[in-house]
Amino acid sequence: MKSYFKYIMAAAIAATTGLTAAGAPKAAPKGGKSMEEIELMIRRGALDEATEALDSAAAAQPKNAQIDYLRGKCLVARNDDANAIKAFEDAHRKGSNDALLELAEIAIREYRVDDAEGNIDDYKAYIAKNKRKKLPDNSDEISSQLTRTRAMLDRVEKIVVFDSITVDKDAFLDAYRLSPEAGSLNYPDMLPEGTDYSDPTVVYCTEDGREMLWGAQNDESVFTLRSIHRLADNSWEKPESVGDHLGQGYDANYPFLMPDGVTLYFASDNEESLGGLDIFISRNNGTEFLQPQNIGMPYNSPYDDYMLAIDELTGAGFWASDRNRLGDKITIYMFIPSQSRVNVDLDDPTLAQRASLRSIRDTWPTGADFTNVRKALDNVKESVKKRAPQFELSLPDGRVLTSYRQFTSEHAAGLMEQYVSLKKATDEAKKRLAALRIEYGNGNTGVGPEILTMEDDMEQAEAQLRRVANDVIRAETGGNVK
């Protein structure tokens, strides 16, 4: 089995992309990579290497539908849906029925629900026509996603998005401007010392500073919402769960509590989500938070949407989204909240555009003037946010560095960037290994060889981390590290 260590070293481990096309030849062309090896490259984020291998395979096996299918998956991983569509269409023309599901998924992401339904119908028709082959029907999940998307397109809220900005994903809170009356959004290191939290999360603090809410993983590695209250003597109570039911067994994170103390917004990737994190709302009945509801479009999309916050004083709301697929950057949308929900007419020709926010100008009423809300935001002093450390490095001379600007050696700072990148990739690999072990424990013994390979590679990666850390310290202090 191919080693993963080179990918960890390159910090190229990406989110796992499921590859489900079945029935195509797995053999490698002479001197080339097998389809199985290419699948693994795509899963590990080695997209350039996968593309090169696919080009070689296509030259040797031009009629192999699996090559076009995998090319489509590779293009999707590059966020190039336009060319991915062509690759999947080629795969289908050459005999890949599974390519229809990929085409349906892209169509759903683009809100072309009728096209998606046609793809799914064709997929099911092929299975029905070939009953003797006993082909598995893998369309349930995509069909459910289509149903959810159709339902949400029927109730797209008519909001006004007056601005949007692109920011670094790791520092997106800096774009939020909230008046003190709305509370504050903070980085998690502002929590009382010893308080458990999990990255990534955001800590919401009420105006009076006496309650904080945030996300932390439970024993099953699922994010749940936690809260903590300040006592009269300014000490803090023990953190407690806000409501394990809010995430419905899935992640619940990025909370924002309205000043009424009743209305809670948060993000979850549960089964009612369009895909990734969606924004949900729940209300407290005086005893507990009730069953949450998905707030729908245009707030939510097939991608991650989270951290909705509303400031009633300025009349502005914010939320974060990666629907534009900008890599390490995300989009912050700023909108004008309304007292009651009004939906876009179903026969409005701009319905899909307003749902997807292809252009925020589609949401502007005639003669829109946002002078007042912009002036209100300008008058809000930027909230003081304790920035989470970029890393923590203890030096022999007693210094503890937490940001690149603290280095006295540019070379050491450059080495530290390598260390942080390598550690991030290694941590992602550890998560993948943990997931594989769970699969193995649930009876999928086929992942055994991959587990063994990854365990060996983890040892190499950990050793390399130690070497790079020592190099950083030597470069900064000019001494030897024992």
Side-chain angles (χ1 to χ4, degrees), residues 136-188:
D137 187 341
N138 298 315
S139 65
D140 287 348
E141 183 175 346
I142 192 70
S143 294
S144 297
Q145 186 180 0
L146 175 59
T147 299
R148 290 193 298 273
T149 303
R150 274 197 184 279
M152 289 196 188
L153 280 171
D154 285 344
R155 49 188 303 272
V156 177
E157 185 172 353
K158 187 183 288 185
I159 65 170
V160 175
V161 179
F162 64 89
D163 203 356
S164 66
I165 58 174
T166 300
V167 298
D168 290 336
K169 186 177 295 186
D170 292 339
F172 77 97
L173 277 189
D174 294 346
Y176 285 64
R177 287 181 177 265
L178 299 176
S179 65
E181 290 80 359
S184 62
L185 298 176
N186 308 272
Y187 295 94

Short mmCIF file of all heavy atoms in Angstrom, two decimals, residues 136-188:
data_model
loop_
_atom_site.label_atom_id
_atom_site.label_comp_id
_atom_site.label_asym_id
_atom_site.label_seq_id
_atom_site.Cartn_x
_atom_site.Cartn_y
_atom_site.Cartn_z
N PRO A 136 -26.33 -2.04 -6.30
CA PRO A 136 -26.79 -1.31 -5.11
C PRO A 136 -27.34 0.06 -5.51
O PRO A 136 -26.87 0.68 -6.47
CB PRO A 136 -25.50 -1.17 -4.29
CG PRO A 136 -24.40 -1.20 -5.30
CD PRO A 136 -24.86 -2.15 -6.38
N ASP A 137 -28.35 0.51 -4.77
CA ASP A 137 -28.91 1.83 -4.99
C ASP A 137 -28.32 2.78 -3.96
O ASP A 137 -28.65 2.72 -2.78
CB ASP A 137 -30.44 1.79 -4.86
CG ASP A 137 -31.10 3.11 -5.25
OD1 ASP A 137 -30.39 4.13 -5.28
OD2 ASP A 137 -32.31 3.11 -5.52
N ASN A 138 -27.42 3.67 -4.41
CA ASN A 138 -26.74 4.59 -3.50
C ASN A 138 -27.32 6.00 -3.54
O ASN A 138 -26.63 6.96 -3.22
CB ASN A 138 -25.25 4.64 -3.85
CG ASN A 138 -24.55 3.31 -3.71
OD1 ASN A 138 -24.75 2.61 -2.72
ND2 ASN A 138 -23.75 2.94 -4.70
N SER A 139 -28.58 6.10 -3.95
CA SER A 139 -29.15 7.42 -4.18
C SER A 139 -29.92 7.99 -2.99
O SER A 139 -30.40 9.12 -3.06
CB SER A 139 -30.09 7.38 -5.39
OG SER A 139 -31.21 6.54 -5.13
N ASP A 140 -30.04 7.23 -1.90
CA ASP A 140 -30.89 7.69 -0.79
C ASP A 140 -30.42 9.03 -0.22
O ASP A 140 -31.22 9.94 -0.02
CB ASP A 140 -30.92 6.64 0.32
CG ASP A 140 -31.75 5.42 -0.06
OD1 ASP A 140 -32.47 5.50 -1.08
OD2 ASP A 140 -31.69 4.41 0.66
N GLU A 141 -29.13 9.14 0.03
CA GLU A 141 -28.61 10.37 0.66
C GLU A 141 -28.78 11.58 -0.25
O GLU A 141 -29.22 12.65 0.18
CB GLU A 141 -27.14 10.19 1.02
CG GLU A 141 -26.55 11.39 1.75
CD GLU A 141 -25.12 11.16 2.20
OE1 GLU A 141 -24.68 9.98 2.20
OE2 GLU A 141 -24.45 12.14 2.56
N ILE A 142 -28.45 11.42 -1.54
CA ILE A 142 -28.57 12.55 -2.45
C ILE A 142 -30.03 12.90 -2.70
O ILE A 142 -30.39 14.07 -2.87
CB ILE A 142 -27.84 12.25 -3.79
CG1 ILE A 142 -27.71 13.51 -4.63
CG2 ILE A 142 -28.52 11.15 -4.57
CD1 ILE A 142 -26.75 14.51 -4.08
N SER A 143 -30.91 11.89 -2.66
CA SER A 143 -32.35 12.16 -2.80
C SER A 143 -32.87 12.96 -1.62
O SER A 143 -33.68 13.88 -1.78
CB SER A 143 -33.12 10.85 -2.93
OG SER A 143 -32.79 10.17 -4.13
N SER A 144 -32.40 12.62 -0.42
CA SER A 144 -32.81 13.37 0.77
C SER A 144 -32.31 14.80 0.70
O SER A 144 -33.01 15.74 1.08
CB SER A 144 -32.26 12.68 2.02
OG SER A 144 -32.81 11.39 2.18
N GLN A 145 -31.09 14.96 0.21
CA GLN A 145 -30.55 16.31 0.06
C GLN A 145 -31.36 17.13 -0.93
O GLN A 145 -31.62 18.31 -0.73
CB GLN A 145 -29.08 16.24 -0.37
CG GLN A 145 -28.39 17.59 -0.39
CD GLN A 145 -26.93 17.50 -0.82
OE1 GLN A 145 -26.42 16.42 -1.10
NE2 GLN A 145 -26.26 18.63 -0.87
N LEU A 146 -31.78 16.48 -2.01
CA LEU A 146 -32.61 17.16 -3.00
C LEU A 146 -33.94 17.59 -2.39
O LEU A 146 -34.41 18.71 -2.61
CB LEU A 146 -32.86 16.24 -4.20
CG LEU A 146 -33.82 16.78 -5.27
CD1 LEU A 146 -33.31 18.09 -5.86
CD2 LEU A 146 -34.01 15.73 -6.37
N THR A 147 -34.54 16.71 -1.59
CA THR A 147 -35.81 17.03 -0.94
C THR A 147 -35.65 18.24 -0.02
O THR A 147 -36.49 19.15 -0.02
CB THR A 147 -36.31 15.82 -0.14
OG1 THR A 147 -36.53 14.72 -1.02
CG2 THR A 147 -37.62 16.16 0.57
N ARG A 148 -34.58 18.26 0.76
CA ARG A 148 -34.35 19.40 1.67
C ARG A 148 -34.13 20.68 0.88
O ARG A 148 -34.63 21.76 1.25
CB ARG A 148 -33.13 19.11 2.56
CG ARG A 148 -33.36 18.03 3.60
CD ARG A 148 -32.25 18.03 4.64
NE ARG A 148 -30.94 17.75 4.07
CZ ARG A 148 -30.44 16.54 3.89
NH1 ARG A 148 -31.16 15.47 4.23
NH2 ARG A 148 -29.24 16.36 3.39
N THR A 149 -33.37 20.59 -0.21
CA THR A 149 -33.08 21.78 -1.01
C THR A 149 -34.36 22.33 -1.64
O THR A 149 -34.60 23.55 -1.64
CB THR A 149 -32.05 21.46 -2.10
OG1 THR A 149 -30.86 20.94 -1.49
CG2 THR A 149 -31.70 22.71 -2.90
N ARG A 150 -35.19 21.45 -2.18
CA ARG A 150 -36.47 21.89 -2.76
C ARG A 150 -37.32 22.60 -1.72
O ARG A 150 -37.91 23.66 -1.97
CB ARG A 150 -37.24 20.69 -3.33
CG ARG A 150 -36.87 20.31 -4.74
CD ARG A 150 -37.94 19.41 -5.33
NE ARG A 150 -37.60 18.93 -6.63
CZ ARG A 150 -37.75 19.62 -7.75
NH1 ARG A 150 -38.22 20.86 -7.68
NH2 ARG A 150 -37.43 19.10 -8.92
N ALA A 151 -37.40 22.00 -0.53
CA ALA A 151 -38.23 22.58 0.53
C ALA A 151 -37.74 23.97 0.92
O ALA A 151 -38.53 24.89 1.15
CB ALA A 151 -38.24 21.66 1.75
N MET A 152 -36.42 24.14 0.98
CA MET A 152 -35.88 25.44 1.37
C MET A 152 -36.01 26.48 0.26
O MET A 152 -36.15 27.67 0.54
CB MET A 152 -34.43 25.29 1.81
CG MET A 152 -34.29 24.57 3.14
SD MET A 152 -32.67 24.78 3.86
CE MET A 152 -32.79 23.62 5.24
N LEU A 153 -35.96 26.03 -0.98
CA LEU A 153 -36.16 26.97 -2.09
C LEU A 153 -37.59 27.49 -2.12
O LEU A 153 -37.86 28.54 -2.72
CB LEU A 153 -35.82 26.30 -3.42
CG LEU A 153 -34.33 26.22 -3.76
CD1 LEU A 153 -34.11 25.35 -5.00
CD2 LEU A 153 -33.74 27.61 -4.00
N ASP A 154 -38.49 26.78 -1.47
CA ASP A 154 -39.89 27.22 -1.40
C ASP A 154 -40.08 28.32 -0.36
O ASP A 154 -41.15 28.94 -0.30
CB ASP A 154 -40.81 26.04 -1.06
CG ASP A 154 -41.01 25.12 -2.25
OD1 ASP A 154 -40.70 25.54 -3.38
OD2 ASP A 154 -41.47 23.98 -2.04
N ARG A 155 -39.04 28.54 0.48
CA ARG A 155 -39.17 29.56 1.52
C ARG A 155 -37.84 30.29 1.72
O ARG A 155 -37.23 30.25 2.79
CB ARG A 155 -39.67 28.95 2.84
CG ARG A 155 -38.95 27.71 3.31
CD ARG A 155 -39.65 27.08 4.51
NE ARG A 155 -39.77 28.00 5.63
CZ ARG A 155 -38.84 28.16 6.57
NH1 ARG A 155 -37.71 27.48 6.51
NH2 ARG A 155 -39.05 29.00 7.57
N VAL A 156 -37.41 30.98 0.68
CA VAL A 156 -36.20 31.79 0.73
C VAL A 156 -36.57 33.15 1.34
O VAL A 156 -37.40 33.86 0.80
CB VAL A 156 -35.59 31.99 -0.66
CG1 VAL A 156 -34.38 32.90 -0.59
CG2 VAL A 156 -35.23 30.65 -1.27
N GLU A 157 -35.92 33.49 2.45
CA GLU A 157 -36.29 34.74 3.12
C GLU A 157 -35.82 35.95 2.31
O GLU A 157 -34.72 35.97 1.76
CB GLU A 157 -35.69 34.80 4.53
CG GLU A 157 -36.16 36.04 5.29
CD GLU A 157 -35.75 36.04 6.75
OE1 GLU A 157 -35.20 35.02 7.22
OE2 GLU A 157 -35.97 37.06 7.42
N LYS A 158 -36.68 36.95 2.26
CA LYS A 158 -36.37 38.18 1.53
C LYS A 158 -35.61 39.12 2.46
O LYS A 158 -36.19 40.03 3.08
CB LYS A 158 -37.65 38.84 1.02
CG LYS A 158 -37.41 40.04 0.11
CD LYS A 158 -38.73 40.69 -0.28
CE LYS A 158 -39.51 39.83 -1.26
NZ LYS A 158 -40.73 40.52 -1.75
N ILE A 159 -34.32 38.88 2.59
CA ILE A 159 -33.49 39.75 3.43
C ILE A 159 -32.69 40.70 2.54
O ILE A 159 -32.58 40.49 1.33
CB ILE A 159 -32.54 38.94 4.33
CG1 ILE A 159 -31.51 38.18 3.48
CG2 ILE A 159 -33.30 38.01 5.23
CD1 ILE A 159 -30.40 37.55 4.30
N VAL A 160 -32.13 41.73 3.17
CA VAL A 160 -31.28 42.67 2.46
C VAL A 160 -29.85 42.48 2.96
O VAL A 160 -29.55 42.71 4.14
CB VAL A 160 -31.73 44.12 2.71
CG1 VAL A 160 -30.75 45.10 2.06
CG2 VAL A 160 -33.13 44.35 2.17
N VAL A 161 -28.99 42.00 2.07
CA VAL A 161 -27.57 41.85 2.39
C VAL A 161 -26.86 43.08 1.84
O VAL A 161 -26.70 43.23 0.63
CB VAL A 161 -26.98 40.56 1.78
CG1 VAL A 161 -25.49 40.44 2.11
CG2 VAL A 161 -27.75 39.34 2.27
N PHE A 162 -26.47 43.98 2.73
CA PHE A 162 -25.95 45.27 2.26
C PHE A 162 -24.45 45.26 2.01
O PHE A 162 -23.92 46.18 1.39
CB PHE A 162 -26.32 46.39 3.22
CG PHE A 162 -25.71 46.29 4.59
CD1 PHE A 162 -24.47 46.85 4.86
CD2 PHE A 162 -26.39 45.66 5.62
CE1 PHE A 162 -23.91 46.78 6.12
CE2 PHE A 162 -25.84 45.58 6.89
CZ PHE A 162 -24.59 46.13 7.14
N ASP A 163 -23.75 44.22 2.47
CA ASP A 163 -22.32 44.19 2.22
C ASP A 163 -21.80 42.77 2.44
O ASP A 163 -22.45 41.93 3.09
CB ASP A 163 -21.59 45.14 3.17
CG ASP A 163 -20.23 45.58 2.63
OD1 ASP A 163 -19.82 45.08 1.56
OD2 ASP A 163 -19.58 46.43 3.27
N SER A 164 -20.62 42.49 1.89
CA SER A 164 -19.93 41.22 2.13
C SER A 164 -18.44 41.48 1.98
O SER A 164 -18.03 42.29 1.16
CB SER A 164 -20.40 40.13 1.15
OG SER A 164 -20.02 40.45 -0.18
N ILE A 165 -17.66 40.78 2.79
CA ILE A 165 -16.21 40.93 2.71
C ILE A 165 -15.56 39.55 2.80
O ILE A 165 -16.13 38.61 3.37
CB ILE A 165 -15.65 41.85 3.83
CG1 ILE A 165 -16.03 41.31 5.21
CG2 ILE A 165 -16.13 43.26 3.66
CD1 ILE A 165 -15.39 42.09 6.33
N THR A 166 -14.39 39.44 2.24
CA THR A 166 -13.61 38.21 2.28
C THR A 166 -12.52 38.36 3.33
O THR A 166 -11.78 39.36 3.33
CB THR A 166 -12.98 37.92 0.91
OG1 THR A 166 -14.02 37.77 -0.06
CG2 THR A 166 -12.17 36.64 0.96
N VAL A 167 -12.43 37.37 4.23
CA VAL A 167 -11.47 37.47 5.33
C VAL A 167 -10.77 36.12 5.51
O VAL A 167 -11.22 35.09 5.02
CB VAL A 167 -12.18 37.85 6.65
CG1 VAL A 167 -12.85 39.22 6.53
CG2 VAL A 167 -13.22 36.80 7.05
N ASP A 168 -9.68 36.14 6.26
CA ASP A 168 -8.99 34.90 6.61
C ASP A 168 -9.89 34.08 7.53
O ASP A 168 -10.46 34.60 8.50
CB ASP A 168 -7.67 35.19 7.33
CG ASP A 168 -6.63 35.79 6.40
OD1 ASP A 168 -6.74 35.56 5.18
OD2 ASP A 168 -5.73 36.50 6.90
N LYS A 169 -9.98 32.79 7.25
CA LYS A 169 -10.85 31.92 8.03
C LYS A 169 -10.43 31.89 9.50
O LYS A 169 -11.28 31.83 10.40
CB LYS A 169 -10.81 30.50 7.45
CG LYS A 169 -11.78 29.53 8.08
CD LYS A 169 -11.73 28.18 7.41
CE LYS A 169 -12.19 28.24 5.96
NZ LYS A 169 -12.27 26.90 5.34
N ASP A 170 -9.14 31.95 9.77
CA ASP A 170 -8.65 31.85 11.14
C ASP A 170 -8.86 33.14 11.94
O ASP A 170 -8.64 33.14 13.15
CB ASP A 170 -7.17 31.48 11.16
CG ASP A 170 -6.92 30.07 10.66
OD1 ASP A 170 -7.86 29.26 10.68
OD2 ASP A 170 -5.78 29.78 10.23
N ALA A 171 -9.23 34.22 11.28
CA ALA A 171 -9.40 35.50 11.98
C ALA A 171 -10.71 36.16 11.60
O ALA A 171 -10.83 37.38 11.61
CB ALA A 171 -8.23 36.43 11.67
N PHE A 172 -11.74 35.35 11.30
CA PHE A 172 -12.97 35.93 10.77
C PHE A 172 -13.71 36.80 11.77
O PHE A 172 -14.46 37.70 11.40
CB PHE A 172 -13.88 34.82 10.23
CG PHE A 172 -14.63 34.05 11.29
CD1 PHE A 172 -15.93 34.37 11.62
CD2 PHE A 172 -14.03 32.98 11.95
CE1 PHE A 172 -16.62 33.66 12.59
CE2 PHE A 172 -14.71 32.26 12.90
CZ PHE A 172 -16.02 32.60 13.23
N LEU A 173 -13.48 36.57 13.08
CA LEU A 173 -14.18 37.37 14.08
C LEU A 173 -13.84 38.85 13.99
O LEU A 173 -14.61 39.70 14.43
CB LEU A 173 -13.84 36.87 15.49
CG LEU A 173 -14.63 35.67 16.02
CD1 LEU A 173 -14.32 35.47 17.48
CD2 LEU A 173 -16.12 35.84 15.81
N ASP A 174 -12.67 39.15 13.44
CA ASP A 174 -12.26 40.55 13.35
C ASP A 174 -13.19 41.36 12.46
O ASP A 174 -13.19 42.60 12.54
CB ASP A 174 -10.83 40.64 12.79
CG ASP A 174 -9.80 40.04 13.74
OD1 ASP A 174 -10.16 39.80 14.91
OD2 ASP A 174 -8.66 39.80 13.32
N ALA A 175 -13.98 40.70 11.63
CA ALA A 175 -14.90 41.42 10.73
C ALA A 175 -16.22 41.77 11.41
O ALA A 175 -16.99 42.58 10.88
CB ALA A 175 -15.17 40.57 9.49
N TYR A 176 -16.49 41.18 12.59
CA TYR A 176 -17.76 41.43 13.28
C TYR A 176 -17.64 42.69 14.13
O TYR A 176 -16.66 42.86 14.86
CB TYR A 176 -18.12 40.26 14.19
CG TYR A 176 -18.63 39.03 13.47
CD1 TYR A 176 -17.82 38.33 12.58
CD2 TYR A 176 -19.91 38.55 13.70
CE1 TYR A 176 -18.27 37.20 11.93
CE2 TYR A 176 -20.38 37.40 13.07
CZ TYR A 176 -19.56 36.74 12.17
OH TYR A 176 -20.02 35.62 11.53
N ARG A 177 -18.64 43.56 14.03
CA ARG A 177 -18.68 44.76 14.87
C ARG A 177 -20.02 44.78 15.60
O ARG A 177 -21.06 45.04 15.01
CB ARG A 177 -18.50 46.02 14.02
CG ARG A 177 -17.06 46.20 13.52
CD ARG A 177 -16.92 47.46 12.70
NE ARG A 177 -15.54 47.64 12.29
CZ ARG A 177 -14.65 48.38 12.94
NH1 ARG A 177 -15.02 49.01 14.04
NH2 ARG A 177 -13.42 48.51 12.50
N LEU A 178 -19.95 44.51 16.89
CA LEU A 178 -21.16 44.44 17.70
C LEU A 178 -21.10 45.50 18.80
O LEU A 178 -20.04 45.71 19.41
CB LEU A 178 -21.29 43.06 18.35
CG LEU A 178 -21.41 41.86 17.42
CD1 LEU A 178 -21.43 40.56 18.23
CD2 LEU A 178 -22.66 41.95 16.55
N SER A 179 -22.22 46.13 19.05
CA SER A 179 -22.30 47.06 20.17
C SER A 179 -22.26 46.26 21.48
O SER A 179 -22.61 45.07 21.49
CB SER A 179 -23.59 47.87 20.09
OG SER A 179 -24.72 47.01 20.25
N PRO A 180 -21.84 46.86 22.58
CA PRO A 180 -21.79 46.14 23.86
C PRO A 180 -23.12 45.52 24.25
O PRO A 180 -23.17 44.47 24.89
CB PRO A 180 -21.35 47.21 24.85
CG PRO A 180 -20.59 48.21 24.04
CD PRO A 180 -21.30 48.23 22.70
N GLU A 181 -24.23 46.19 23.85
CA GLU A 181 -25.55 45.68 24.21
C GLU A 181 -25.85 44.32 23.59
O GLU A 181 -26.69 43.57 24.09
CB GLU A 181 -26.63 46.69 23.78
CG GLU A 181 -26.64 47.97 24.59
CD GLU A 181 -25.57 48.96 24.15
OE1 GLU A 181 -24.79 48.66 23.23
OE2 GLU A 181 -25.53 50.06 24.75
N ALA A 182 -25.18 43.99 22.50
CA ALA A 182 -25.41 42.71 21.82
C ALA A 182 -24.57 41.59 22.43
O ALA A 182 -24.75 40.42 22.07
CB ALA A 182 -25.09 42.84 20.33
N GLY A 183 -23.67 41.93 23.35
CA GLY A 183 -22.73 40.93 23.85
C GLY A 183 -21.48 40.95 22.97
O GLY A 183 -21.30 41.82 22.11
N SER A 184 -20.62 39.99 23.16
CA SER A 184 -19.38 39.98 22.40
C SER A 184 -19.03 38.57 21.94
O SER A 184 -19.43 37.57 22.55
CB SER A 184 -18.22 40.53 23.26
OG SER A 184 -18.00 39.72 24.40
N LEU A 185 -18.30 38.51 20.82
CA LEU A 185 -17.79 37.25 20.29
C LEU A 185 -16.29 37.24 20.51
O LEU A 185 -15.60 38.19 20.14
CB LEU A 185 -18.13 37.11 18.81
CG LEU A 185 -19.61 37.08 18.46
CD1 LEU A 185 -19.80 37.05 16.95
CD2 LEU A 185 -20.30 35.88 19.11
N ASN A 186 -15.78 36.16 21.06
CA ASN A 186 -14.39 36.13 21.51
C ASN A 186 -13.70 34.85 21.11
O ASN A 186 -14.33 33.82 20.86
CB ASN A 186 -14.35 36.26 23.04
CG ASN A 186 -15.13 37.43 23.56
OD1 ASN A 186 -14.62 38.53 23.67
ND2 ASN A 186 -16.40 37.20 23.89
N TYR A 187 -12.37 34.91 21.10
CA TYR A 187 -11.58 33.71 20.91
C TYR A 187 -11.58 32.90 22.21
O TYR A 187 -11.70 33.48 23.30
CB TYR A 187 -10.17 34.08 20.46
CG TYR A 187 -10.16 34.73 19.10
CD1 TYR A 187 -10.19 36.12 18.97
CD2 TYR A 187 -10.16 33.96 17.94
CE1 TYR A 187 -10.20 36.71 17.72
CE2 TYR A 187 -10.17 34.55 16.69
CZ TYR A 187 -10.19 35.92 16.58
OH TYR A 187 -10.21 36.51 15.34
N PRO A 188 -11.47 31.59 22.13
CA PRO A 188 -11.70 30.74 23.31
C PRO A 188 -10.71 30.89 24.45
O PRO A 188 -11.00 30.46 25.57
CB PRO A 188 -11.69 29.32 22.75
CG PRO A 188 -10.99 29.42 21.45
CD PRO A 188 -11.28 30.78 20.92
#
